[in-house]
Amino acid sequence: MSDVIAKGEVEKVRERTARPWLSPLNQRRWQNFKANRRGYWSLWIFLVLFVLSLFAEFIANDKPILASYKGEILFPVLVDYPEEKFGGFLAVTDYRDPIISEEIEANGWLIWPPIRYSYRTVNNDIPESAPAKPSWLYDAETRCGRYFDGAADPACTVGNWNWLGTDDQARDVLARIIYGFRISVLFGLVLTLASAVIGVSAGAVQGYFGGWTDLIFQRVIEIWSSIPVLYLILIIAAVLPPGFFILLGIMLLFSWVAFVGVVRAEFLRARNFEYVNAARALGVSNGTIMFRHLLPNAMVATLTFLPFILNGSITTLTSLDFLGFGLPPGSASLGELLRQGQRNLNAPWLGITGFLTLSIMLSLLIFIGEAVRDAFDPRKTFK
């Protein structure tokens, strides 16, 4: 009995002395972040939208998510089945073809995504020439006028509606918004993280070693920063074939500079602190001192800066797409949608949809950045 009590006491002591997941300082920072309600809820809204966009193929696609044909379970959203499997002769199956869909439903069933269009799917059944208005603005007869049986046609369902209309090539705007949101955020995240790695490393080397190293680096960065970035990006993008990674590499050449000044200042301030001199006296290597002892302090300012760099990365990609120097033609792009809105003033839903999507996304990131700034504010953290 005494052994059981002793073990219980030991477990209680372990629970009390166990290291928390967050240090007391980071717990106060998290509480300060949550205290900014606008930024806190903006973070959750942005995360929900981003996670949903990662599964865009299951939300908006011209292929069924799941199908059963003659007793066989198929996954069209993941596997490209040849049309000969369903009695056709093409290499790729068009599941929106009434003949194919009727053949599958006669021998099984289909489970479609909520939106039966991908970002490149052309809708040949719109009631008027492209760009067509949102489907809910038409009456049933007009909306289903091009289907074989009109309003009674089984294909004229909510899943085939164009909720935000179509662009000038009869592609569904809502599907392109979902895919465009994903590619914009992924581009911004990759560019921001890569820029942070390069910029933080360069700033750390400058600030820690100082002297001629700092002087030479600063002159190089000043010359590099004086280059007109947008013009150079336009020239390079016009020469090289457009692509996600080519654009990423071009913009990475200049975006890393934004992090250098902040990190350099923190390292210059802290490199002669007593704990750094003590580490040197003990024989600790420069690399360990820089990235294990000094970098955590420098990252406070860097983390505060990250949401605004992400915001700028997304805006730059949108600008290049709007000018026609961004992603390859046909890609889902918010900038390309804005350009279509500018060219088709008779279709206001194009410009309004692109503007609202971009405004909401950038506003959420700004609100998150403000909350992060409050969380790392030393006047609030050390109260």
Side-chain angles (χ1 to χ4, degrees):
M1 186 67 178
S2 60
D3 292 341
V4 174
I5 295 174
K7 289 181 180 179
E9 293 296 329
V10 170
E11 291 298 328
K12 291 180 180 178
V13 171
R14 285 179 179 175
E15 290 177 1
R16 288 196 298 267
T17 59
R19 186 175 181 179
W21 184 61
L22 290 175
S23 65
L25 176 60
N26 287 328
Q27 288 179 16
R28 288 196 294 272
R29 286 171 175 166
W30 175 243
Q31 292 302 322
N32 288 336
F33 181 86
K34 291 175 65 176
N36 188 321
R37 306 304 296 174
R38 184 173 62 184
Y40 178 72
W41 286 110
S42 295
L43 175 63
W44 281 109
I45 293 171
F46 181 80
L47 287 177
V48 168
L49 293 176
F50 179 54
V51 171
L52 287 176
S53 72
L54 293 177
F55 298 93
E57 285 78 9
F58 296 89
I59 299 173
N61 208 327
D62 54 6
K63 299 177 181 178
I65 299 175
L66 194 65
S68 175
Y69 182 69
K70 295 182 178 180
E72 182 182 1
I73 301 297
L74 307 175
F75 300 91
V77 73
L78 302 175
V79 181
D80 288 329
Y81 298 102
E83 196 177 75
E84 62 182 4
K85 189 177 186 67
F86 310 106
F89 55 88
L90 297 178
V92 179
T93 305
D94 180 10
Y95 295 93
R96 292 179 54 82
D97 187 338
I99 298 175
I100 298 299
S101 60
E102 289 173 6
E103 168 67 19
I104 296 176
E105 289 177 349
N107 296 276
W109 42 262
L110 293 167
I111 297 179
W112 285 92
I115 303 168
R116 300 186 185 184
Y117 302 98
S118 182
Y119 67 91
R120 59 180 179 269
T121 306
V122 176
N123 184 7
N124 296 316
D125 298 316
I126 53 177
E128 60 183 3
S129 59
K133 294 185 293 187
S135 297
W136 49 272
L137 292 177
Y138 298 104
D139 58 71
E141 292 299 328
T142 305
R143 184 169 53 244
C144 304
R146 293 199 178 183
Y147 289 93
F148 185 75
D149 293 327
D153 196 294
C156 188
T157 61
V158 174
N160 278 323
W161 283 19
N162 302 116
W163 289 94
L164 297 177
T166 68
D167 63 7
D168 56 9
Q169 298 182 41
R171 298 172 300 192
D172 185 68
V173 172
L174 180 55
R176 293 184 66 79
I177 286 290
I178 295 171
Y179 284 87
F181 178 87
R182 179 175 68 178
I183 198 169
S184 296
V185 176
L186 287 177
F187 183 89
L189 285 174
V190 174
L191 179 60
T192 302
L193 293 177
S195 302
V197 171
I198 298 173
V200 167
S201 301
V205 171
Q206 279 187 247
Y208 182 77
F209 291 103
W212 281 102
T213 302
D214 183 33
L215 187 64
I216 293 173
F217 260 99
Q218 277 301 100
R219 299 295 82 75
V220 171
I221 289 176
E222 287 173 4
I223 295 171
W224 194 249
S225 301
S226 65
I227 298 174
V229 177
L230 184 58
Y231 292 115
L232 189 60
I233 289 176
L234 291 176
I235 293 170
I236 298 175
V239 174
L240 296 177
F244 182 91
F245 291 102
I246 289 178
L247 274 179
L248 186 68
I250 294 172
M251 294 176 63
L252 184 59
L253 290 174
F254 304 96
S255 59
W256 61 272
V257 179
F259 290 94
V260 175
V262 178
V263 179
R264 170 180 172 270
E266 290 293 329
F267 271 72
L268 281 173
R269 182 179 65 85
R271 65 174 183 159
N272 291 320
F273 282 178
E274 291 183 0
Y275 73 90
V276 176
N277 293 327
R280 288 198 192 100
L282 290 172
V284 179
S285 65
N286 288 328
T288 302
I289 296 174
M290 289 169 59
F291 294 103
R292 189 168 181 177
H293 300 290
L294 290 177
L295 184 60
N297 296 325
M299 287 304 293
V300 171
T302 306
L303 289 173
T304 306
F305 208 44
L306 280 178
F308 302 99
I309 297 295
L310 175 59
N311 215 331
S313 302
I314 294 173
T315 305
T316 305
L317 176 64
T318 304
S319 303
L320 289 173
D321 287 332
F322 179 82
L323 296 172
F325 294 97
L327 297 171
S331 301
S333 163
L334 299 179
E336 193 262 348
L337 185 64
L338 290 173
R339 184 173 58 170
Q340 286 200 31
Q342 182 256 339
R343 290 179 176 179
N344 299 277
L345 297 179
N346 61 321
W349 56 89
L350 296 175
I352 292 173
T353 302
F355 171 76
L356 288 178
T357 303
L358 192 62
S359 300
I360 292 171
M361 176 170 55
L362 297 182
S363 298
L364 290 174
L365 290 174
I366 288 294
F367 295 154
I368 294 170
E370 290 177 349
V372 172
R373 182 189 60 198
D374 291 345
F376 286 96
D377 187 346
R379 293 171 297 178
K380 296 182 179 181
T381 304
F382 295 100
K383 285 194 297 185

